[in-house]
Amino acid sequence: MSKDYELSTLGVRAGQVRSQFQEHAEALYLTSSFVFDNAAQAASRFAGEEGMVYTRYTNPTVAMFQDRLAALEGAESCVATASGMAAILATMLVHLKSGDHVVCSNAVFGATIQLFNNILGRFGIQTTYVSPTKTDEWQRAVKPNTRLFFLETPSNPMTEVSDIPALSAIAKKAGALLAVDNVFCTPILQRPLELGADFAIHSATKYIDGQGRVMGGAIAGTKALVGDPMTAFLRTAGPAISPFNAWVLLKGLETLELRVKAQSAAALELARWLEGHRSVARVHYPGLESHPQHALAKRQQKAAGAVLSFEAKGGRAGAWRVIDSTKLMSITANLGDVKTTIVHPASTTHGRISPEARAAAGITDGLIRIAVGLEALDDLKADLERGLS
Ligand SMILES: *Cc1c(COP(=O)(O)O)cnc(C)c1O
């Protein structure tokens, strides 16, 4: 579909292919395999001719999801996977080999760090962790065998913002590829490929679904780096998405812009309200003027996103009181849902790292993370006020 269309149009229309029945909504093809007209067609499909063969690597519903997300990311191609972690794993296994080195932000999703350390490490891939915001640390970490930079921006739960164009320039000079986990912003608020990244990686489980129903992941980029090699990888290695999940996520893309913009606008208002609250020591949100990378976030993102964190006074006891006094918010580490979630990072998502590393990352005992949903803002404020006051 033409690049001239706006994101809202692409989200609703891009990638749709109708069957001979001319269905209005996108069809769900729940089938593991496809039949051929004759032996010759089967032979040419197996030899690589375009067409459906087997859902591990070709399915019309999955293709519609991939093409629509590619359009939103402004990418030549997109490949969907079983989960966000499968998308990250596939990117690493396709583009790295034993002896390679990765430079990674020290503020990425916990499972991503486990993947680099405990799994890729066993196959001779070494990772150095650096600050998401200190660009010079990335430069200093580069080695002759550095092949990939990996980051997530804004980060979780401190909402630190990495300078994608600056890191892209360093990666290019080093001959390394830049992968950006774009879960927090989605293509609605940030398009990493336009900013110089080689891969925009998604856990579609989060905002793309938006209603907490299914797992899925995706990688967007060029045909040479993503479309061709990753489809070949899925065909051989198998972390494919279910067509049912792809269909749910495809329909999720239709409301992505509306949801993300509304949730982000609500997060900004909530952040401002918290910043003025006497029981709150500090608020971390890129949309606030007090945020250290506020100017960078304004340049690089269309809005600040729907995740914020804040320090309740009174340390862990204070934070737990606020969390336990909520009646509306869901106490869960998940995010990206239209239902607002609240969590205490120091004792959950970041509970397994050492107290020193936690302190260095700014994750204090009083820190609370909120992923803002679509409930009325006044109801969310009242839910927090109970514990804060
Ligand atoms: C959830 C998440 C992932 C992992 O995605 P799954 O779909 O749960 O496998 C990766 N990165 C970020 C930023 C996430 O929030």
Side-chain angles (χ1 to χ4, degrees), residues 82-86 88 109 111-112 152 156 181 183-184 202-206 215-217 334-335:
S83 67
M85 289 319 301
I88 298 173
F109 192 63
T112 304
E152 197 177 302
N156 178 24
D181 181 328
V183 166
F184 272 49
H202 284 281
S203 165
T205 316
K206 309 293 168 54
M215 308 288 304
N334 197 24
L335 60 93

Side-chain angles (χ1 to χ4, degrees), residues 201-238:
I201 301 183
H202 284 281
S203 165
T205 316
K206 309 293 168 54
Y207 290 99
I208 291 177
D209 178 342
Q211 294 167 71
R213 297 161 294 189
V214 301
M215 308 288 304
I219 312 112
T222 61
K223 193 165 175 292
L225 288 175
V226 174
D228 292 340
M230 301 241 178
T231 304
F233 176 82
L234 283 187
R235 180 173 182 161
T236 308

Side-chain angles (χ1 to χ4, degrees), residues 8-19:
S8 39
T9 306
L10 295 172
V12 174
R13 294 280 180 181
Q16 182 168 11
V17 176
R18 292 201 170 99
S19 76

Side-chain angles (χ1 to χ4, degrees), residues 145-162:
N145 57 341
T146 302
R147 291 288 166 266
L148 192 112
F149 281 16
F150 189 96
L151 64 91
E152 197 177 302
T153 180
S155 71
N156 178 24
M158 300 303 286
T159 73
E160 291 171 289
V161 179
S162 298

Side-chain angles (χ1 to χ4, degrees), residues 162-182:
S162 298
D163 190 332
I164 299 175
L167 294 173
S168 159
I170 296 172
K172 279 208 173 67
K173 245 173 64 194
L177 297 165
L178 173 60
V180 174
D181 181 328
N182 202 26

